[in-house]
Amino acid sequence: MVWKNSTVKLRLHPTAEQAAAIDRTLECCRWLWNEMLSDEREFYFAADVHYIPTPARYKKGAPFLKEADSQALATVHTDLRRAFQRFFDHPERYGYPAFKRPGAKTAYTTYASSVSARLYCTREGVRLPKLGIVPATFHRRPPPDWKLKSATVSRTATGKYFCALLFEHPAAEPPEVQPEPGKTVGLNFSAQHFYADSDGNFAQLPEGIARTKKKLARRRRQLSRMERGSKNYQRQQQKVRLLYERLANQRMDFIHKESRRLADACDAVCVRGDDLQEISKKLQFGSASDSGFGKFRLCLGYKLARQGKPLVVIDRSCPTARTCHSCGFVREALPLGVRVWTCPACGAVLPREVNAAKNIRAQGLEQLRAGQQS
């Protein structure tokens, strides 16, 4: 038995006073982040030392900070330190911490206390510091043996409020599954579809996503012709934000359902560690990052792990598309426009994406065998 963390996300329905208090806390956290970052830069330029002042230093000069939850302000200090640490450790992956502009997607985190009951769930909603009991919609209730650790309150661009509750709970380790070749599948990212698997099947994004994209493009064209700052502009801007939110929800719904289907049906899934940003640069139309395939890999990974099944990630430099899965012949080059090619060695007709998925599966099975032998 081990202890694991799970998150339950709620839709909050705050009163007008509670919504105003959440907005003040979010603005306090944004203001504090910018002040800390500005002072850190001044300290570095003056003394060549990285130093981030604590929130207590700012409360005397900014009394409005006392209206916000102290745990939320302390979290801002922790998050900024972590942002600098990530930048120092991996500058090629993480940029220098930036200032936060007003109106950006914002959130704050508060923690449960072992001394006082400042954070807990009720039948009607969730009790939050400085807010009291906020009405909420539970899509599922946490079991009674789960221990509440923290709550992250967020506000979307459309003005909706959510709360992500982090629980710690005991969980049994799932038995490790020994993958069978017949129940192992390889997936290859497809810009035209979503992915192609090693069995020759293609995953298609729902038609509703395409309809939402067309509607969003039309609303954006209408917005571009309106006078910026006018009431019509603001109303149209809200319609655009709602469509962006709907598009994100449709994409996440598809990702969760498809990753669940694969996790239940397969013993192992093999994918390639593609850099979607690099792929987007090579595409003439569309974006690989916009498809959500990166999020799909993450969701598929943890859903497989919960069942004791592996997600095998092969090297992105492996020439899966230009290697014949029948005889192993490797072409020197394969332009993106070539969707089907014939192997000069064995004469096999190879659809580009399905052939790549079969090679990904073969490479993944080799990695699994090598891991079992070692």
PDB file of all heavy atoms in Angstrom, residues 120-155:
ATOM      1  N   TYR A 120     -12.178  22.546   3.658  1.00  0.00           N
ATOM      2  CA  TYR A 120     -12.847  21.245   3.690  1.00  0.00           C
ATOM      3  C   TYR A 120     -14.052  21.275   2.751  1.00  0.00           C
ATOM      4  O   TYR A 120     -14.510  22.344   2.314  1.00  0.00           O
ATOM      5  CB  TYR A 120     -13.287  20.879   5.117  1.00  0.00           C
ATOM      6  CG  TYR A 120     -14.168  21.900   5.786  1.00  0.00           C
ATOM      7  CD1 TYR A 120     -15.554  21.900   5.606  1.00  0.00           C
ATOM      8  CD2 TYR A 120     -13.618  22.871   6.629  1.00  0.00           C
ATOM      9  CE1 TYR A 120     -16.362  22.831   6.222  1.00  0.00           C
ATOM     10  CE2 TYR A 120     -14.415  23.810   7.254  1.00  0.00           C
ATOM     11  CZ  TYR A 120     -15.789  23.781   7.045  1.00  0.00           C
ATOM     12  OH  TYR A 120     -16.587  24.716   7.656  1.00  0.00           O
ATOM     13  N   CYS A 121     -14.564  20.079   2.444  1.00  0.00           N
ATOM     14  CA  CYS A 121     -15.728  19.930   1.569  1.00  0.00           C
ATOM     15  C   CYS A 121     -16.994  19.803   2.403  1.00  0.00           C
ATOM     16  O   CYS A 121     -16.990  19.241   3.498  1.00  0.00           O
ATOM     17  CB  CYS A 121     -15.573  18.700   0.673  1.00  0.00           C
ATOM     18  SG  CYS A 121     -14.218  18.800  -0.507  1.00  0.00           S
ATOM     19  N   THR A 122     -18.072  20.314   1.859  1.00  0.00           N
ATOM     20  CA  THR A 122     -19.388  20.178   2.464  1.00  0.00           C
ATOM     21  C   THR A 122     -20.340  19.570   1.446  1.00  0.00           C
ATOM     22  O   THR A 122     -19.963  19.298   0.300  1.00  0.00           O
ATOM     23  CB  THR A 122     -19.918  21.553   2.923  1.00  0.00           C
ATOM     24  OG1 THR A 122     -20.157  22.369   1.774  1.00  0.00           O
ATOM     25  CG2 THR A 122     -18.922  22.249   3.837  1.00  0.00           C
ATOM     26  N   ARG A 123     -21.597  19.380   1.867  1.00  0.00           N
ATOM     27  CA  ARG A 123     -22.582  18.827   0.954  1.00  0.00           C
ATOM     28  C   ARG A 123     -22.898  19.801  -0.183  1.00  0.00           C
ATOM     29  O   ARG A 123     -23.141  19.408  -1.321  1.00  0.00           O
ATOM     30  CB  ARG A 123     -23.862  18.480   1.719  1.00  0.00           C
ATOM     31  CG  ARG A 123     -24.929  17.788   0.871  1.00  0.00           C
ATOM     32  CD  ARG A 123     -26.159  17.508   1.710  1.00  0.00           C
ATOM     33  NE  ARG A 123     -25.851  16.611   2.792  1.00  0.00           N
ATOM     34  CZ  ARG A 123     -25.861  15.275   2.684  1.00  0.00           C
ATOM     35  NH1 ARG A 123     -26.159  14.710   1.520  1.00  0.00           N
ATOM     36  NH2 ARG A 123     -25.583  14.517   3.718  1.00  0.00           N
ATOM     37  N   GLU A 124     -22.864  21.109   0.136  1.00  0.00           N
ATOM     38  CA  GLU A 124     -23.237  22.114  -0.851  1.00  0.00           C
ATOM     39  C   GLU A 124     -22.063  22.600  -1.693  1.00  0.00           C
ATOM     40  O   GLU A 124     -22.249  23.094  -2.806  1.00  0.00           O
ATOM     41  CB  GLU A 124     -23.891  23.323  -0.173  1.00  0.00           C
ATOM     42  CG  GLU A 124     -25.194  23.004   0.548  1.00  0.00           C
ATOM     43  CD  GLU A 124     -24.956  22.398   1.924  1.00  0.00           C
ATOM     44  OE1 GLU A 124     -23.785  22.474   2.395  1.00  0.00           O
ATOM     45  OE2 GLU A 124     -25.894  21.859   2.519  1.00  0.00           O
ATOM     46  N   GLY A 125     -20.847  22.513  -1.162  1.00  0.00           N
ATOM     47  CA  GLY A 125     -19.705  23.064  -1.888  1.00  0.00           C
ATOM     48  C   GLY A 125     -18.405  22.822  -1.156  1.00  0.00           C
ATOM     49  O   GLY A 125     -18.178  21.749  -0.603  1.00  0.00           O
ATOM     50  N   VAL A 126     -17.561  23.840  -1.142  1.00  0.00           N
ATOM     51  CA  VAL A 126     -16.247  23.724  -0.509  1.00  0.00           C
ATOM     52  C   VAL A 126     -15.982  24.975   0.308  1.00  0.00           C
ATOM     53  O   VAL A 126     -16.307  26.088  -0.098  1.00  0.00           O
ATOM     54  CB  VAL A 126     -15.145  23.507  -1.574  1.00  0.00           C
ATOM     55  CG1 VAL A 126     -15.135  24.629  -2.605  1.00  0.00           C
ATOM     56  CG2 VAL A 126     -13.782  23.367  -0.934  1.00  0.00           C
ATOM     57  N   ARG A 127     -15.416  24.764   1.508  1.00  0.00           N
ATOM     58  CA  ARG A 127     -15.080  25.881   2.381  1.00  0.00           C
ATOM     59  C   ARG A 127     -13.678  26.347   2.054  1.00  0.00           C
ATOM     60  O   ARG A 127     -12.717  25.583   2.117  1.00  0.00           O
ATOM     61  CB  ARG A 127     -15.172  25.439   3.835  1.00  0.00           C
ATOM     62  CG  ARG A 127     -15.310  26.575   4.846  1.00  0.00           C
ATOM     63  CD  ARG A 127     -13.984  27.116   5.271  1.00  0.00           C
ATOM     64  NE  ARG A 127     -14.129  28.184   6.258  1.00  0.00           N
ATOM     65  CZ  ARG A 127     -13.139  28.952   6.677  1.00  0.00           C
ATOM     66  NH1 ARG A 127     -11.923  28.797   6.178  1.00  0.00           N
ATOM     67  NH2 ARG A 127     -13.354  29.894   7.569  1.00  0.00           N
ATOM     68  N   LEU A 128     -13.536  27.631   1.690  1.00  0.00           N
ATOM     69  CA  LEU A 128     -12.259  28.208   1.310  1.00  0.00           C
ATOM     70  C   LEU A 128     -11.921  29.363   2.244  1.00  0.00           C
ATOM     71  O   LEU A 128     -12.825  30.088   2.689  1.00  0.00           O
ATOM     72  CB  LEU A 128     -12.304  28.717  -0.134  1.00  0.00           C
ATOM     73  CG  LEU A 128     -12.475  27.656  -1.220  1.00  0.00           C
ATOM     74  CD1 LEU A 128     -12.771  28.306  -2.561  1.00  0.00           C
ATOM     75  CD2 LEU A 128     -11.236  26.778  -1.312  1.00  0.00           C
ATOM     76  N   PRO A 129     -10.637  29.555   2.578  1.00  0.00           N
ATOM     77  CA  PRO A 129     -10.239  30.672   3.442  1.00  0.00           C
ATOM     78  C   PRO A 129     -10.649  32.013   2.854  1.00  0.00           C
ATOM     79  O   PRO A 129     -10.570  32.231   1.642  1.00  0.00           O
ATOM     80  CB  PRO A 129      -8.712  30.529   3.520  1.00  0.00           C
ATOM     81  CG  PRO A 129      -8.439  29.108   3.190  1.00  0.00           C
ATOM     82  CD  PRO A 129      -9.498  28.702   2.221  1.00  0.00           C
ATOM     83  N   LYS A 130     -11.099  32.920   3.709  1.00  0.00           N
ATOM     84  CA  LYS A 130     -11.517  34.279   3.354  1.00  0.00           C
ATOM     85  C   LYS A 130     -12.819  34.321   2.557  1.00  0.00           C
ATOM     86  O   LYS A 130     -13.310  35.397   2.236  1.00  0.00           O
ATOM     87  CB  LYS A 130     -10.433  34.995   2.534  1.00  0.00           C
ATOM     88  CG  LYS A 130      -9.107  35.161   3.258  1.00  0.00           C
ATOM     89  CD  LYS A 130      -9.164  36.278   4.273  1.00  0.00           C
ATOM     90  CE  LYS A 130      -7.774  36.563   4.851  1.00  0.00           C
ATOM     91  NZ  LYS A 130      -7.780  37.704   5.779  1.00  0.00           N
ATOM     92  N   LEU A 131     -13.377  33.149   2.206  1.00  0.00           N
ATOM     93  CA  LEU A 131     -14.580  33.117   1.384  1.00  0.00           C
ATOM     94  C   LEU A 131     -15.754  32.445   2.066  1.00  0.00           C
ATOM     95  O   LEU A 131     -16.903  32.728   1.728  1.00  0.00           O
ATOM     96  CB  LEU A 131     -14.300  32.387   0.059  1.00  0.00           C
ATOM     97  CG  LEU A 131     -13.240  32.989  -0.867  1.00  0.00           C
ATOM     98  CD1 LEU A 131     -13.026  32.074  -2.070  1.00  0.00           C
ATOM     99  CD2 LEU A 131     -13.636  34.373  -1.329  1.00  0.00           C
ATOM    100  N   GLY A 132     -15.489  31.535   2.986  1.00  0.00           N
ATOM    101  CA  GLY A 132     -16.558  30.741   3.558  1.00  0.00           C
ATOM    102  C   GLY A 132     -16.913  29.583   2.643  1.00  0.00           C
ATOM    103  O   GLY A 132     -16.109  29.144   1.815  1.00  0.00           O
ATOM    104  N   ILE A 133     -18.134  29.101   2.758  1.00  0.00           N
ATOM    105  CA  ILE A 133     -18.583  27.970   1.938  1.00  0.00           C
ATOM    106  C   ILE A 133     -19.039  28.497   0.574  1.00  0.00           C
ATOM    107  O   ILE A 133     -19.987  29.273   0.475  1.00  0.00           O
ATOM    108  CB  ILE A 133     -19.715  27.202   2.632  1.00  0.00           C
ATOM    109  CG1 ILE A 133     -19.217  26.605   3.953  1.00  0.00           C
ATOM    110  CG2 ILE A 133     -20.247  26.102   1.722  1.00  0.00           C
ATOM    111  CD1 ILE A 133     -20.279  25.872   4.742  1.00  0.00           C
ATOM    112  N   VAL A 134     -18.349  28.052  -0.468  1.00  0.00           N
ATOM    113  CA  VAL A 134     -18.660  28.465  -1.831  1.00  0.00           C
ATOM    114  C   VAL A 134     -19.460  27.334  -2.490  1.00  0.00           C
ATOM    115  O   VAL A 134     -18.992  26.188  -2.532  1.00  0.00           O
ATOM    116  CB  VAL A 134     -17.382  28.746  -2.643  1.00  0.00           C
ATOM    117  CG1 VAL A 134     -17.726  29.226  -4.042  1.00  0.00           C
ATOM    118  CG2 VAL A 134     -16.506  29.760  -1.925  1.00  0.00           C
ATOM    119  N   PRO A 135     -20.663  27.597  -3.006  1.00  0.00           N
ATOM    120  CA  PRO A 135     -21.423  26.547  -3.697  1.00  0.00           C
ATOM    121  C   PRO A 135     -20.641  25.990  -4.887  1.00  0.00           C
ATOM    122  O   PRO A 135     -19.954  26.724  -5.602  1.00  0.00           O
ATOM    123  CB  PRO A 135     -22.695  27.272  -4.155  1.00  0.00           C
ATOM    124  CG  PRO A 135     -22.804  28.464  -3.256  1.00  0.00           C
ATOM    125  CD  PRO A 135     -21.398  28.872  -2.933  1.00  0.00           C
ATOM    126  N   ALA A 136     -20.736  24.686  -5.077  1.00  0.00           N
ATOM    127  CA  ALA A 136     -19.981  24.034  -6.148  1.00  0.00           C
ATOM    128  C   ALA A 136     -20.747  22.843  -6.672  1.00  0.00           C
ATOM    129  O   ALA A 136     -21.623  22.292  -5.997  1.00  0.00           O
ATOM    130  CB  ALA A 136     -18.605  23.599  -5.644  1.00  0.00           C
ATOM    131  N   THR A 137     -20.405  22.432  -7.890  1.00  0.00           N
ATOM    132  CA  THR A 137     -20.973  21.243  -8.520  1.00  0.00           C
ATOM    133  C   THR A 137     -19.938  20.133  -8.488  1.00  0.00           C
ATOM    134  O   THR A 137     -18.851  20.276  -9.056  1.00  0.00           O
ATOM    135  CB  THR A 137     -21.391  21.537  -9.971  1.00  0.00           C
ATOM    136  OG1 THR A 137     -22.360  22.591  -9.972  1.00  0.00           O
ATOM    137  CG2 THR A 137     -21.981  20.307 -10.626  1.00  0.00           C
ATOM    138  N   PHE A 138     -20.266  19.020  -7.816  1.00  0.00           N
ATOM    139  CA  PHE A 138     -19.376  17.861  -7.732  1.00  0.00           C
ATOM    140  C   PHE A 138     -19.771  16.860  -8.814  1.00  0.00           C
ATOM    141  O   PHE A 138     -20.914  16.398  -8.848  1.00  0.00           O
ATOM    142  CB  PHE A 138     -19.490  17.182  -6.365  1.00  0.00           C
ATOM    143  CG  PHE A 138     -18.846  17.943  -5.230  1.00  0.00           C
ATOM    144  CD1 PHE A 138     -19.515  18.988  -4.623  1.00  0.00           C
ATOM    145  CD2 PHE A 138     -17.583  17.600  -4.781  1.00  0.00           C
ATOM    146  CE1 PHE A 138     -18.940  19.686  -3.579  1.00  0.00           C
ATOM    147  CE2 PHE A 138     -16.998  18.292  -3.740  1.00  0.00           C
ATOM    148  CZ  PHE A 138     -17.671  19.337  -3.132  1.00  0.00           C
ATOM    149  N   HIS A 139     -18.834  16.530  -9.703  1.00  0.00           N
ATOM    150  CA  HIS A 139     -19.114  15.463 -10.661  1.00  0.00           C
ATOM    151  C   HIS A 139     -18.819  14.102 -10.045  1.00  0.00           C
ATOM    152  O   HIS A 139     -19.283  13.068 -10.535  1.00  0.00           O
ATOM    153  CB  HIS A 139     -18.296  15.649 -11.944  1.00  0.00           C
ATOM    154  CG  HIS A 139     -16.836  15.401 -11.780  1.00  0.00           C
ATOM    155  ND1 HIS A 139     -15.980  16.313 -11.199  1.00  0.00           N
ATOM    156  CD2 HIS A 139     -16.067  14.338 -12.104  1.00  0.00           C
ATOM    157  CE1 HIS A 139     -14.754  15.830 -11.188  1.00  0.00           C
ATOM    158  NE2 HIS A 139     -14.777  14.634 -11.726  1.00  0.00           N
ATOM    159  N   ARG A 140     -18.032  14.070  -8.978  1.00  0.00           N
ATOM    160  CA  ARG A 140     -17.813  12.858  -8.183  1.00  0.00           C
ATOM    161  C   ARG A 140     -17.346  13.273  -6.802  1.00  0.00           C
ATOM    162  O   ARG A 140     -16.658  14.289  -6.642  1.00  0.00           O
ATOM    163  CB  ARG A 140     -16.793  11.922  -8.841  1.00  0.00           C
ATOM    164  CG  ARG A 140     -15.384  12.454  -8.943  1.00  0.00           C
ATOM    165  CD  ARG A 140     -14.521  11.495  -9.738  1.00  0.00           C
ATOM    166  NE  ARG A 140     -13.170  12.001  -9.942  1.00  0.00           N
ATOM    167  CZ  ARG A 140     -12.108  11.570  -9.272  1.00  0.00           C
ATOM    168  NH1 ARG A 140     -12.236  10.634  -8.363  1.00  0.00           N
ATOM    169  NH2 ARG A 140     -10.910  12.067  -9.518  1.00  0.00           N
ATOM    170  N   ARG A 141     -17.720  12.480  -5.802  1.00  0.00           N
ATOM    171  CA  ARG A 141     -17.367  12.771  -4.425  1.00  0.00           C
ATOM    172  C   ARG A 141     -16.128  11.975  -4.024  1.00  0.00           C
ATOM    173  O   ARG A 141     -16.020  10.788  -4.328  1.00  0.00           O
ATOM    174  CB  ARG A 141     -18.524  12.409  -3.490  1.00  0.00           C
ATOM    175  CG  ARG A 141     -19.724  13.336  -3.616  1.00  0.00           C
ATOM    176  CD  ARG A 141     -19.519  14.580  -2.806  1.00  0.00           C
ATOM    177  NE  ARG A 141     -20.638  15.514  -2.961  1.00  0.00           N
ATOM    178  CZ  ARG A 141     -20.749  16.633  -2.268  1.00  0.00           C
ATOM    179  NH1 ARG A 141     -19.819  16.948  -1.384  1.00  0.00           N
ATOM    180  NH2 ARG A 141     -21.764  17.456  -2.471  1.00  0.00           N
ATOM    181  N   PRO A 142     -15.164  12.616  -3.337  1.00  0.00           N
ATOM    182  CA  PRO A 142     -13.992  11.867  -2.875  1.00  0.00           C
ATOM    183  C   PRO A 142     -14.373  10.900  -1.759  1.00  0.00           C
ATOM    184  O   PRO A 142     -15.235  11.218  -0.930  1.00  0.00           O
ATOM    185  CB  PRO A 142     -13.050  12.967  -2.368  1.00  0.00           C
ATOM    186  CG  PRO A 142     -13.959  14.097  -2.006  1.00  0.00           C
ATOM    187  CD  PRO A 142     -15.099  14.043  -2.983  1.00  0.00           C
ATOM    188  N   PRO A 143     -13.770   9.713  -1.697  1.00  0.00           N
ATOM    189  CA  PRO A 143     -14.043   8.773  -0.605  1.00  0.00           C
ATOM    190  C   PRO A 143     -13.674   9.376   0.754  1.00  0.00           C
ATOM    191  O   PRO A 143     -12.832  10.280   0.839  1.00  0.00           O
ATOM    192  CB  PRO A 143     -13.158   7.567  -0.944  1.00  0.00           C
ATOM    193  CG  PRO A 143     -12.921   7.669  -2.414  1.00  0.00           C
ATOM    194  CD  PRO A 143     -12.878   9.140  -2.711  1.00  0.00           C
ATOM    195  N   PRO A 144     -14.268   8.894   1.831  1.00  0.00           N
ATOM    196  CA  PRO A 144     -14.010   9.491   3.154  1.00  0.00           C
ATOM    197  C   PRO A 144     -12.582   9.323   3.649  1.00  0.00           C
ATOM    198  O   PRO A 144     -12.145  10.095   4.519  1.00  0.00           O
ATOM    199  CB  PRO A 144     -15.007   8.768   4.069  1.00  0.00           C
ATOM    200  CG  PRO A 144     -15.402   7.524   3.329  1.00  0.00           C
ATOM    201  CD  PRO A 144     -15.306   7.854   1.886  1.00  0.00           C
ATOM    202  N   ASP A 145     -11.825   8.328   3.147  1.00  0.00           N
ATOM    203  CA  ASP A 145     -10.455   8.135   3.622  1.00  0.00           C
ATOM    204  C   ASP A 145      -9.444   8.997   2.867  1.00  0.00           C
ATOM    205  O   ASP A 145      -8.245   8.934   3.146  1.00  0.00           O
ATOM    206  CB  ASP A 145     -10.053   6.663   3.510  1.00  0.00           C
ATOM    207  CG  ASP A 145     -10.106   6.140   2.084  1.00  0.00           C
ATOM    208  OD1 ASP A 145     -10.862   6.722   1.272  1.00  0.00           O
ATOM    209  OD2 ASP A 145      -9.408   5.157   1.792  1.00  0.00           O
ATOM    210  N   TRP A 146      -9.898   9.804   1.909  1.00  0.00           N
ATOM    211  CA  TRP A 146      -9.000  10.711   1.198  1.00  0.00           C
ATOM    212  C   TRP A 146      -8.739  11.950   2.052  1.00  0.00           C
ATOM    213  O   TRP A 146      -9.677  12.516   2.636  1.00  0.00           O
ATOM    214  CB  TRP A 146      -9.598  11.126  -0.141  1.00  0.00           C
ATOM    215  CG  TRP A 146      -9.529  10.044  -1.184  1.00  0.00           C
ATOM    216  CD1 TRP A 146      -9.392   8.711  -0.980  1.00  0.00           C
ATOM    217  CD2 TRP A 146      -9.627  10.225  -2.595  1.00  0.00           C
ATOM    218  NE1 TRP A 146      -9.384   8.038  -2.165  1.00  0.00           N
ATOM    219  CE2 TRP A 146      -9.522   8.945  -3.186  1.00  0.00           C
ATOM    220  CE3 TRP A 146      -9.780  11.329  -3.413  1.00  0.00           C
ATOM    221  CZ2 TRP A 146      -9.577   8.736  -4.551  1.00  0.00           C
ATOM    222  CZ3 TRP A 146      -9.830  11.143  -4.785  1.00  0.00           C
ATOM    223  CH2 TRP A 146      -9.725   9.850  -5.348  1.00  0.00           C
ATOM    224  N   LYS A 147      -7.504  12.378   2.099  1.00  0.00           N
ATOM    225  CA  LYS A 147      -7.104  13.532   2.916  1.00  0.00           C
ATOM    226  C   LYS A 147      -6.875  14.743   2.012  1.00  0.00           C
ATOM    227  O   LYS A 147      -6.053  14.701   1.105  1.00  0.00           O
ATOM    228  CB  LYS A 147      -5.825  13.214   3.691  1.00  0.00           C
ATOM    229  CG  LYS A 147      -5.381  14.332   4.627  1.00  0.00           C
ATOM    230  CD  LYS A 147      -4.133  13.938   5.377  1.00  0.00           C
ATOM    231  CE  LYS A 147      -3.668  15.060   6.303  1.00  0.00           C
ATOM    232  NZ  LYS A 147      -2.416  14.696   7.015  1.00  0.00           N
ATOM    233  N   LEU A 148      -7.619  15.824   2.277  1.00  0.00           N
ATOM    234  CA  LEU A 148      -7.514  17.032   1.464  1.00  0.00           C
ATOM    235  C   LEU A 148      -6.220  17.777   1.788  1.00  0.00           C
ATOM    236  O   LEU A 148      -5.940  18.086   2.953  1.00  0.00           O
ATOM    237  CB  LEU A 148      -8.721  17.938   1.713  1.00  0.00           C
ATOM    238  CG  LEU A 148      -8.797  19.243   0.910  1.00  0.00           C
ATOM    239  CD1 LEU A 148      -8.778  18.957  -0.581  1.00  0.00           C
ATOM    240  CD2 LEU A 148     -10.050  20.028   1.286  1.00  0.00           C
ATOM    241  N   LYS A 149      -5.423  18.067   0.753  1.00  0.00           N
ATOM    242  CA  LYS A 149      -4.129  18.731   0.940  1.00  0.00           C
ATOM    243  C   LYS A 149      -4.154  20.195   0.505  1.00  0.00           C
ATOM    244  O   LYS A 149      -3.602  21.056   1.191  1.00  0.00           O
ATOM    245  CB  LYS A 149      -3.048  17.993   0.146  1.00  0.00           C
ATOM    246  CG  LYS A 149      -2.927  16.522   0.486  1.00  0.00           C
ATOM    247  CD  LYS A 149      -2.416  16.307   1.902  1.00  0.00           C
ATOM    248  CE  LYS A 149      -0.965  16.705   2.037  1.00  0.00           C
ATOM    249  NZ  LYS A 149      -0.436  16.401   3.382  1.00  0.00           N
ATOM    250  N   SER A 150      -4.752  20.497  -0.641  1.00  0.00           N
ATOM    251  CA  SER A 150      -4.732  21.871  -1.146  1.00  0.00           C
ATOM    252  C   SER A 150      -5.892  22.088  -2.093  1.00  0.00           C
ATOM    253  O   SER A 150      -6.562  21.135  -2.530  1.00  0.00           O
ATOM    254  CB  SER A 150      -3.408  22.182  -1.845  1.00  0.00           C
ATOM    255  OG  SER A 150      -3.285  21.424  -3.044  1.00  0.00           O
ATOM    256  N   ALA A 151      -6.123  23.357  -2.399  1.00  0.00           N
ATOM    257  CA  ALA A 151      -7.165  23.745  -3.364  1.00  0.00           C
ATOM    258  C   ALA A 151      -6.608  24.836  -4.259  1.00  0.00           C
ATOM    259  O   ALA A 151      -5.999  25.795  -3.766  1.00  0.00           O
ATOM    260  CB  ALA A 151      -8.420  24.234  -2.646  1.00  0.00           C
ATOM    261  N   THR A 152      -6.801  24.696  -5.558  1.00  0.00           N
ATOM    262  CA  THR A 152      -6.373  25.703  -6.532  1.00  0.00           C
ATOM    263  C   THR A 152      -7.611  26.311  -7.171  1.00  0.00           C
ATOM    264  O   THR A 152      -8.363  25.628  -7.869  1.00  0.00           O
ATOM    265  CB  THR A 152      -5.471  25.077  -7.609  1.00  0.00           C
ATOM    266  OG1 THR A 152      -4.304  24.528  -6.979  1.00  0.00           O
ATOM    267  CG2 THR A 152      -5.040  26.127  -8.619  1.00  0.00           C
ATOM    268  N   VAL A 153      -7.829  27.584  -6.913  1.00  0.00           N
ATOM    269  CA  VAL A 153      -8.981  28.312  -7.436  1.00  0.00           C
ATOM    270  C   VAL A 153      -8.552  29.046  -8.697  1.00  0.00           C
ATOM    271  O   VAL A 153      -7.527  29.740  -8.695  1.00  0.00           O
ATOM    272  CB  VAL A 153      -9.529  29.306  -6.396  1.00  0.00           C
ATOM    273  CG1 VAL A 153     -10.750  30.052  -6.938  1.00  0.00           C
ATOM    274  CG2 VAL A 153      -9.890  28.577  -5.102  1.00  0.00           C
ATOM    275  N   SER A 154      -9.320  28.900  -9.752  1.00  0.00           N
ATOM    276  CA  SER A 154      -8.965  29.522 -11.032  1.00  0.00           C
ATOM    277  C   SER A 154     -10.178  30.217 -11.625  1.00  0.00           C
ATOM    278  O   SER A 154     -11.331  29.860 -11.351  1.00  0.00           O
ATOM    279  CB  SER A 154      -8.425  28.478 -12.020  1.00  0.00           C
ATOM    280  OG  SER A 154      -9.393  27.477 -12.262  1.00  0.00           O
ATOM    281  N   ARG A 155      -9.904  31.213 -12.463  1.00  0.00           N
ATOM    282  CA  ARG A 155     -10.938  31.936 -13.194  1.00  0.00           C
ATOM    283  C   ARG A 155     -10.586  31.908 -14.670  1.00  0.00           C
ATOM    284  O   ARG A 155      -9.465  32.241 -15.061  1.00  0.00           O
ATOM    285  CB  ARG A 155     -11.025  33.385 -12.713  1.00  0.00           C
ATOM    286  CG  ARG A 155     -12.111  34.222 -13.389  1.00  0.00           C
ATOM    287  CD  ARG A 155     -11.962  35.688 -13.054  1.00  0.00           C
ATOM    288  NE  ARG A 155     -10.700  36.217 -13.556  1.00  0.00           N
ATOM    289  CZ  ARG A 155     -10.036  37.227 -13.007  1.00  0.00           C
ATOM    290  NH1 ARG A 155     -10.497  37.810 -11.931  1.00  0.00           N
ATOM    291  NH2 ARG A 155      -8.892  37.642 -13.532  1.00  0.00           N
TER     292      ARG A 155
END
